[in-house]
Amino acid sequence: MWYHSSNSSANQKRKKLAKLNKIKKEHVFAVITLSMLFFPTFSYSGTSTSALYLTKDAKYIYSANLDGGSVSKIDANSGEKIFEKVLGKDIRRIAFNEDESIYAVTDFSKNQVIFLDASNNKIIKTIKTKNKPHGIIYDKNNKYFFVTIYEDNEILVIEDKNFETIKTIKTEITPRGMALTSDGRLLVTHTMIGMISIYDSRSLAKLKTITLHSTSNEDEFVSQGKPRLLDDIEITPDEDEAWIPHVLWNFDHKFQFQSTIFPTISIISLEKDNEKELEDQRKELFKSINVLNNNNKTMIVSNPWDLSFSNDGSKAFVTLAGSEDIMVFNIGRSSTKANKERHRKRANRSGSGAKATEIFRDYPNQTNPQAILVNPKNDNIYVQNAARLDMTLLDSGGEHPFSRVTVKEDSFSKLVEKDPLSKELRLGKTLFNNGNANNYEKTPLVGDFWMSCNSCHFEGFNFTNGFLFTDTKLDKKMDASIGHDNIDKGYISKTPLADYVRIARDTQGGMGEDPKSNLEKIDPDKMPKELEELMQPLHTYITDKDNLKYLSTWMKLDDDAKEYHPKDWTNSAKCKSCHEDIFNQWADSNHKNLVGTNPYYMVLESLAAKVEGEGFRMWCMGCHNPSAITTGITKTTPTMDKLFEHGAKTLVDELDKFGNEKLEEGVSCITCHRISKIEDVGGNASYTLNITQRDKYAFEDSPHKAGQWLSEKFINSKPQVHIDSYMNPVYKESVYCASCHDEFTPGSGSKIVSTFKEWQESSFNNPNDPSKNKSCIDCHMTFLENDKLSPLLGQSTSGGKVKKDVKVHYFAGANHFLSGLKSKTHEDQTLQLLKTSAKLDVDFKDNQLIVGVTNVGAGHHLPTGVSDFRELWLDITIKNRNGETVFESGKLNEEGDLGKDARPYMKVFGDKDGKPVGLFFWKYEKLLSDTRIASGERRIEKYDIDESFKDKLLYPLTATVKLNFRVYPQWVTNAVQKEYPNLPNPPIIELQKSIKTFEE
């Protein structure tokens, strides 16, 4: 039977056909192989944004040298540096036009795109951009350069003849990496929202957005979370897929070792008109890949950064910037039809499709490998090391599935001749980006190669910090801290070096915390000298001018000055000569009087310094006293003798006597009008100042009155330069105000003030309907008359043009009291605004008083700001027909504080033990209560009449309901009066009142 079956006529035909098919396949494979050998395809090397570029003849590599600030040309065979050209500060990406005669780079820090002639490396043109140009790619079909503007959410389209920007495309937030398909689809990654946008490169129309999927698992140690930190995107050589390295942020629980940051690669199908994420093919790189170490344990990696495919597409090589490894995926091994079913069954383990076959752990240490490039002519792999500013040469081992990567040359090419960063700063930055447990074996910063500081604080301390608040979902009543709440020695202000050790130990598993390290845990208070010497460079990097220069506050300086001179701070009284009305409004405002003449502030700044260390004053001073910080003053000067002074008389007198020699402390005209940039990090003075780099008129700084008079004449004759120097489009945006009117505790990240977020979630934030959209300045800088907003017809410049809506500088808000001590006009403006905020409705049914309080006029909660120090409550009295009181609530006790029966609308902060923090508001770790009223919300309060009073319910009943406000509780004022006894008590303000009579 077997013989006849196997040798039957039909079976012989099948065998013959199979043999012919086999010969055909071998022939096709041979043709493809020969084509690759003799006609290598280089097209994909130019289809994605990269810091490395291999020329078409594969002879040279151009490197954009990141914070080395230069571009280098390297011989691809020998590693010899042909030239290095210094261009700027942070050269991120490089792109060439089709014939390689022109190349262009992005300067991330100096906000510019630079075009150069490749024949002589001379600059052809420099284009200034908005904030943070990152990716650049050339479209040979349409003759365009595309550039992503990372912070300002744009793509620039620049033609390649005159290098003019022909279009600016507004994008989803944080556009960064790009890739371009041969059929003209432009793919753009969005770093902080896990999104890919797809555009038609010819019409420039958006075709689609793909949001990478988020995952959740009850087991916190399973790879899961929201896709974040997307950078470059790479298209497979067959253009079937795009691969995106990134991490997952899993911030739905307290931060702990190996449960919150997970390395990942997501894959997009590029099937035309059906582009989508291949969710089951996501590469979960944390404890999910079947690559073991010598101890037979799954290897951990961190911070996947860039990747490159082998020329035949059979392998993918990935740089792991944190753990400093190279990961290899075998694509060809598992992409056949015969294996699809098997991989579907295994998909829940590590993602179907390509499998990781190697983690090359012997990559050089302290390198921070980022960009990677495969040479299509040989087995060379080039890796750019961001920490060493050099290039490592690897050998791929060939195309065999089981070949292994090896190092051919550790430092193949020195890319940067002279590092612009000091040795200490370079080491600090290297430590910040380090997730390699093999570095500093006795005192590693991380455990088990898990993560680096950069895994959360992406590229240092910048606007991405705001996403930590957005993505962290914790129950504030249980724990309001989203950050490092283990730094119990002064919020990184008293003992910063010891705090860095605590963070590395308790957050990253370093310093002996990881039990698998078999190391003794480091005591931060008894750290060895060599560890202290290691932490100092990290501190240098963290306090670098581009990060947290003042550590506990986010204020930065845009110019090159390390400190300002008092002369740089133009005395605000100088502005009075041309802007008299505006000056007079500002002079008695709370903005002017935030520091020395604000007794509440003075007490709290001193208290914070006493408890947390002198450095903690910076947190307060960043918003309240920026001129002092930037000139080296570390403590606010009290000027309480000016508490009742009107019109900033002393300031005017000092200008006449000292000119700009004497520093004006507080928030001056210059402070607000020389802010060059805002970073939405969550508050804490998240703005950048530049008070020196501006165009000046002749005699503008003259100490003589004649010179000043001439300068004013020059300004008035051609005012545009002056206007450009002191106005910025961001000044009209609410995020501008949020830089100081939002607040969080340094280190632990407990959100104390969230006014901006409250506004964002309100109906006032309605950019699609200008008639309903109201920004901060629409309410707080608009004149009020007859208890309503009444735009002021007038002039902001003396003798200038008449405006329909002069933006007044009373800065009406909540604190009527302190400005009212100087000016009743100021107090009246604030009281009018407060009275527009709410309305009452009152009813009485079934022996129950029902009061509705509706937030009708505020685009934020009532109250907002320091709402733990604001009192808003209902004062209720019900009397019968005989005038007898049958019910009351919300009365003050003998000490002047609210009675226990009051129902205040406010926040109450608690410490880690759940006890009210009182004056120590920065110790907030648990939200004990929040009874404030959201914008547009109607809150209903019900009051039951006590049974003992029912016999006195003689109708008609008269209910008097007041909505009262006091800017500071009496117990707070009492504490301040101990230091400043001449401070009067803030009055109780009646915002709304309703008197209603009820018949039986």
Side-chain angles (χ1 to χ4, degrees):
M1 290 288 291
W2 171 84
Y3 175 82
H4 288 292
S5 173
S6 61
N7 290 280
S8 66
S9 176
N11 199 50
Q12 288 297 319
K13 286 181 180 179
R14 282 195 297 269
K15 285 185 176 182
K16 188 175 182 180
L17 185 61
K19 188 175 181 179
L20 287 171
N21 286 335
K22 184 179 179 182
I23 293 171
K24 281 184 179 179
K25 287 181 179 178
E26 289 174 349
H27 177 72
V28 170
F29 179 76
V31 170
I32 292 172
T33 303
L34 288 170
S35 298
M36 288 179 175
L37 288 172
F38 295 103
F39 307 102
T41 301
F42 303 154
S43 60
Y44 72 89
S45 67
T47 57
S48 65
T49 49
S50 179
L52 297 177
Y53 179 87
L54 180 66
T55 57
K56 291 182 178 182
D57 57 12
K59 290 183 178 180
Y60 302 103
I61 300 169
Y62 282 77
S63 172
N65 294 329
L66 309 175
D67 60 6
S70 62
V71 169
S72 296
K73 181 180 180 180
I74 307 299
D75 186 300
N77 294 315
S78 68
E80 178 189 355
K81 183 163 60 178
I82 310 302
F83 74 81
E84 179 189 358
K85 185 173 182 65
V86 177
L87 291 171
K89 185 175 181 182
D90 190 352
I91 307 302
R92 284 298 176 92
R93 299 293 181 263
I94 185 168
F96 276 75
N97 66 350
E98 176 64 10
D99 63 8
E100 297 184 333
S101 62
I102 303 292
Y103 66 95
V105 298
T106 52
D107 189 339
F108 193 71
S109 294
K110 289 190 173 295
N111 299 331
Q112 56 189 10
V113 181
I114 306 169
F115 295 87
L116 299 99
D117 186 327
S119 66
N120 55 25
N121 298 305
K122 290 185 178 179
I123 295 175
I124 301 171
K125 187 170 185 177
T126 298
I127 297 177
K128 294 297 292 181
T129 71
K130 291 185 180 179
N131 291 309
K132 308 302 182 188
H134 178 81
I136 185 165
I137 194 170
Y138 181 73
D139 179 359
K140 65 181 181 180
N141 293 324
N142 297 300
K143 311 298 183 185
Y144 298 152
F145 286 94
F146 293 101
V147 179
T148 53
I149 309 299
Y150 175 53
E151 282 193 24
D152 281 305
N153 315 321
E154 294 178 349
I155 297 174
L156 303 184
V157 185
I158 304 171
E159 50 85 14
D160 70 352
K161 297 301 180 187
N162 299 309
F163 310 105
E164 298 291 337
T165 302
I166 61 172
K167 188 175 178 64
T168 299
I169 304 171
K170 293 301 294 182
T171 71
E172 303 290 342
I173 61 176
T174 62
R176 195 168 169 98
M178 291 182 288
L180 187 63
T181 64
S182 60
D183 62 6
R185 286 171 290 165
L186 179 68
L187 282 64
V188 182
T189 63
H190 297 275
T191 301
M192 301 308 301
I193 57 174
M195 183 180 288
I196 313 297
S197 295
I198 303 177
Y199 293 85
D200 184 306
S201 64
R202 185 172 182 81
S203 69
L204 306 178
K206 184 191 287 187
L207 304 176
K208 181 179 289 189
T209 56
I210 300 171
T211 300
L212 300 181
H213 75 290
S214 298
T215 55
S216 180
N217 194 299
E218 291 184 1
D219 184 347
E220 295 171 355
F221 296 92
V222 171
S223 182
Q224 60 187 295
K226 298 179 178 180
R228 296 295 181 261
L229 313 195
L230 288 67
D231 196 330
D232 288 328
I233 177 172
E234 192 74 16
I235 297 173
T236 56
D238 60 12
E239 297 197 348
D240 284 349
E241 296 174 347
W243 288 35
I244 308 106
H246 60 91
V247 301
L248 299 174
W249 277 3
N250 185 35
F251 295 160
D252 61 356
H253 60 277
K254 289 297 294 179
F255 206 102
Q256 56 188 354
F257 180 51
Q258 291 192 343
S259 74
T260 40
I261 306 289
F262 299 102
T264 309
I265 296 174
S266 291
I267 299 178
I268 301 293
S269 168
L270 294 181
E271 181 183 349
K272 195 167 179 63
D273 300 323
N274 192 33
E275 299 90 349
K276 62 183 178 181
E277 181 187 4
L278 301 175
E279 295 187 9
D280 66 335
Q281 292 194 34
R282 174 176 283 177
K283 311 305 173 191
E284 308 282 1
L285 307 186
F286 180 79
K287 290 186 176 180
S288 299
I289 49 177
N290 190 28
V291 180
L292 307 179
N293 63 14
N294 293 333
N295 297 319
N296 207 35
K297 292 181 179 178
T298 301
M299 296 175 72
I300 305 298
V301 297
S302 59
N303 295 18
W305 195 271
D306 194 11
L307 66 86
S308 186
F309 294 102
S310 62
N311 196 47
D312 65 349
S314 65
K315 290 188 177 183
F317 303 92
V318 184
T319 52
L320 298 152
S323 55
E324 297 181 332
D325 306 311
I326 303 297
M327 180 177 285
V328 183
F329 282 89
N330 185 3
I331 302 172
R333 177 184 168 193
S334 57
S335 61
T336 64
K337 293 181 179 179
N339 287 328
K340 283 189 176 180
E341 183 61 31
R342 173 168 60 88
H343 289 300
R344 274 196 292 270
K345 292 177 180 178
R346 296 177 60 190
N348 61 334
R349 287 170 54 188
S350 60
S352 62
K355 298 298 176 185
T357 56
E358 180 186 5
I359 296 176
F360 181 57
R361 185 130 280 175
D362 291 330
Y363 193 84
N365 294 337
Q366 299 190 53
T367 51
N368 190 213
Q370 293 190 8
I372 186 168
L373 185 65
V374 173
N375 192 323
K377 279 193 171 183
N378 50 43
D379 295 335
N380 286 348
I381 301 175
Y382 309 94
V383 182
Q384 183 193 55
N385 299 314
R388 292 196 322 201
L389 297 177
D390 69 355
M391 188 185 298
T392 293
L393 179 63
L394 304 176
D395 189 322
S396 69
E399 297 174 357
H400 192 278
F402 298 106
S403 60
R404 291 291 180 261
V405 169
T406 57
V407 174
K408 290 184 72 172
E409 196 167 344
D410 182 334
S411 185
F412 174 64
S413 182
K414 184 179 180 182
L415 299 174
V416 175
E417 192 63 33
K418 184 178 180 181
D419 189 348
L421 274 59
S422 68
K423 287 185 178 180
E424 183 167 297
L425 182 57
R426 174 61 67 192
L427 176 57
K429 187 171 185 178
T430 302
L431 294 170
F432 189 86
N433 286 278
N434 181 260
N436 186 346
N438 284 337
N439 291 333
Y440 312 103
E441 291 184 355
K442 293 183 179 180
T443 57
L445 269 73
V446 299
D448 202 13
F449 302 88
W450 180 45
M451 61 169 288
S452 67
C453 303
N454 191 67
S455 301
C456 292
H457 300 290
F458 188 49
E459 298 187 321
F461 297 91
N462 50 60
F463 79 104
T464 60
N465 189 78
F467 292 91
L468 296 173
F469 290 106
T470 303
D471 286 342
T472 302
K473 306 298 181 185
L474 299 177
D475 183 353
K476 294 181 180 179
K477 293 182 179 179
M478 298 300 295
D479 197 333
S481 169
I482 73 163
H484 304 295
D485 55 2
N486 54 336
I487 45 177
D488 56 359
K489 295 294 181 180
Y491 296 90
I492 319 186
S493 60
K494 189 182 291 184
T495 57
L497 303 189
D499 284 333
Y500 301 149
V501 173
R502 289 187 183 89
I503 291 169
R505 185 191 65 190
D506 300 343
T507 302
Q508 297 175 194
M511 304 294 170
E513 179 67 23
D514 177 18
K516 294 190 289 293
S517 68
N518 296 317
L519 295 172
E520 184 178 348
K521 288 186 182 180
I522 300 293
D523 182 347
D525 298 318
K526 299 177 182 178
M527 72 174 86
K529 184 178 180 182
E530 57 268 24
L531 180 56
E532 185 175 344
E533 291 174 351
L534 189 64
M535 291 299 98
Q536 184 57 54
L538 181 59
H539 183 64
T540 298
Y541 174 69
I542 290 172
T543 55
D544 180 57
K545 69 184 297 292
D546 292 327
N547 286 315
L548 301 177
K549 179 178 174 66
Y550 303 104
L551 196 56
S552 56
T553 185
W554 286 68
M555 182 177 66
K556 299 175 182 178
L557 306 185
D558 198 20
D559 37 22
D560 296 327
K562 291 185 178 180
E563 276 188 0
Y564 291 139
H565 189 279
K567 287 182 179 180
D568 295 326
W569 285 92
T570 301
N571 185 314
S572 295
K574 192 173 181 181
C575 305
K576 183 179 181 180
S577 59
C578 292
H579 305 282
E580 186 171 7
D581 289 345
I582 299 297
F583 175 85
N584 290 334
Q585 294 161 12
W586 166 85
D588 292 324
S589 73
N590 288 319
H591 273 199
K592 159 66 175 73
N593 298 286
L594 278 175
V595 281
T597 59
N598 183 331
Y600 294 89
Y601 172 80
M602 292 302 299
V603 165
L604 287 171
E605 184 192 302
S606 297
L607 181 63
K610 181 179 179 181
V611 174
E612 310 298 347
E614 286 296 314
F616 202 56
R617 291 182 189 269
M618 299 296 105
W619 181 47
C620 312
M621 295 172 70
C623 282
H624 285 259
N625 203 354
S627 59
I629 288 183
T630 58
T631 52
I633 297 172
T634 58
K635 180 180 179 180
T636 296
T637 306
T639 52
M640 288 303 297
D641 56 321
K642 313 294 189 304
L643 178 62
F644 301 98
E645 182 182 271
H646 172 64
K649 181 179 182 301
T650 298
L651 189 66
V652 174
D653 292 343
E654 287 176 348
L655 177 64
D656 287 339
K657 188 173 182 180
F658 304 108
N660 278 338
E661 294 289 338
K662 189 168 183 180
L663 183 71
E664 170 191 356
E665 293 191 36
V667 176
S668 64
C669 300
I670 289 290
T671 301
C672 291
H673 285 277
R674 285 300 297 172
I675 286 176
S676 59
K677 179 183 173 184
I678 297 294
E679 292 183 297
D680 181 16
V681 308
N684 287 21
S686 51
Y687 59 82
T688 300
L689 276 174
N690 186 330
I691 67 173
T692 61
Q693 294 178 337
R694 63 181 180 84
D695 294 327
K696 293 186 177 182
Y697 292 79
F699 305 110
E700 190 172 337
D701 294 329
S702 172
H704 306 293
K705 290 189 175 181
Q708 294 171 15
W709 181 85
L710 276 172
S711 173
E712 290 173 11
K713 296 301 179 184
F714 292 146
I715 293 172
N716 289 330
S717 64
K718 292 186 177 180
Q720 193 58 49
V721 172
H722 185 75
I723 293 169
D724 292 343
S725 293
Y726 293 106
M727 292 302 293
N728 187 318
V730 77
Y731 297 171
K732 296 181 180 181
E733 298 177 18
S734 293
V735 70
Y736 174 62
C737 307
S739 61
C740 274
H741 289 274
D742 269 18
E743 183 179 5
F744 59 92
T745 52
S748 66
S750 298
K751 202 70 161 66
I752 296 168
V753 179
S754 301
T755 303
F756 180 58
K757 183 179 180 181
E758 294 163 14
W759 172 82
Q760 283 182 310
E761 295 176 349
S762 77
S763 62
F764 283 55
N765 177 25
N766 193 346
N768 295 325
D769 186 349
S771 66
K772 296 180 181 179
N773 190 62
K774 286 187 178 181
S775 67
C776 299
I777 64 173
D778 289 329
C779 293
H780 296 280
M781 293 184 71
T782 296
F783 188 71
L784 288 112
E785 193 171 27
N786 300 322
D787 292 343
K788 65 180 182 180
L789 296 167
S790 305
L792 181 66
L793 182 69
Q795 300 166 309
S796 56
T797 303
S798 303
K801 66 178 182 180
V802 175
K803 300 178 180 179
K804 293 181 179 180
D805 183 9
V806 175
K807 289 305 171 188
V808 295
H809 286 54
Y810 297 108
F811 300 111
N815 197 336
H816 63 94
F817 172 56
L818 291 178
S819 59
L821 296 178
K822 299 172 175 59
S823 165
K824 291 304 174 185
T825 299
H826 284 69
E827 182 172 40
D828 177 66
Q829 284 290 299
T830 293
L831 291 178
Q832 287 192 65
L833 183 64
L834 285 168
K835 290 176 181 179
T836 67
S837 62
K839 71 175 183 179
L840 298 173
D841 60 89
V842 181
D843 200 1
F844 191 84
K845 294 179 180 179
D846 301 325
N847 294 336
Q848 188 179 66
L849 183 71
I850 303 168
V851 181
V853 185
T854 306
N855 180 349
V856 294
H860 46 68
H861 288 18
L862 278 180
T864 192
V866 286
S867 48
D868 53 321
F869 285 177
R870 300 281 185 255
E871 288 182 326
L872 181 70
W873 77 99
L874 290 172
D875 179 335
I876 295 172
T877 304
I878 301 177
K879 293 185 177 182
N880 63 16
R881 66 186 179 214
N882 297 328
E884 298 173 296
T885 299
V886 298
F887 178 84
E888 60 181 15
S889 174
K891 307 299 180 181
L892 301 183
N893 61 25
E894 293 181 359
E895 288 76 31
D897 293 311
L898 283 177
K900 292 183 179 181
D901 66 339
R903 302 183 187 181
Y905 304 110
M906 66 187 304
K907 278 184 179 179
V908 179
F909 294 148
D911 62 15
K912 61 183 179 181
D913 299 318
K915 298 178 181 178
V917 297
L919 290 175
F920 304 90
F921 64 93
W922 59 88
K923 290 186 176 293
Y924 160 45
E925 290 192 37
K926 292 184 179 180
L927 183 61
L928 303 185
S929 66
D930 184 356
T931 55
R932 299 172 304 146
I933 306 171
S935 180
E937 178 189 356
R938 177 175 178 262
R939 183 72 57 79
I940 298 174
E941 304 288 350
K942 296 180 179 181
Y943 299 87
D944 295 315
I945 306 300
D946 191 277
E947 289 289 334
S948 61
F949 285 92
K950 285 189 177 180
D951 59 340
K952 293 185 178 181
L953 289 180
L954 304 175
Y955 287 86
L957 299 176
T958 300
T960 302
V961 179
K962 301 175 185 177
L963 182 63
N964 287 343
F965 175 76
R966 183 162 57 176
V967 70
Y968 295 110
Q970 190 60 48
W971 63 269
V972 174
T973 299
N974 290 344
V976 176
Q977 287 172 334
K978 289 180 182 178
E979 189 71 25
Y980 301 105
N982 63 330
L983 174 70
N985 287 329
I988 294 172
I989 303 301
E990 182 184 290
L991 300 186
Q992 295 292 330
K993 182 177 181 179
S994 176
I995 301 175
K996 292 195 72 173
T997 300
F998 300 98
E999 301 289 345
E1000 189 170 6

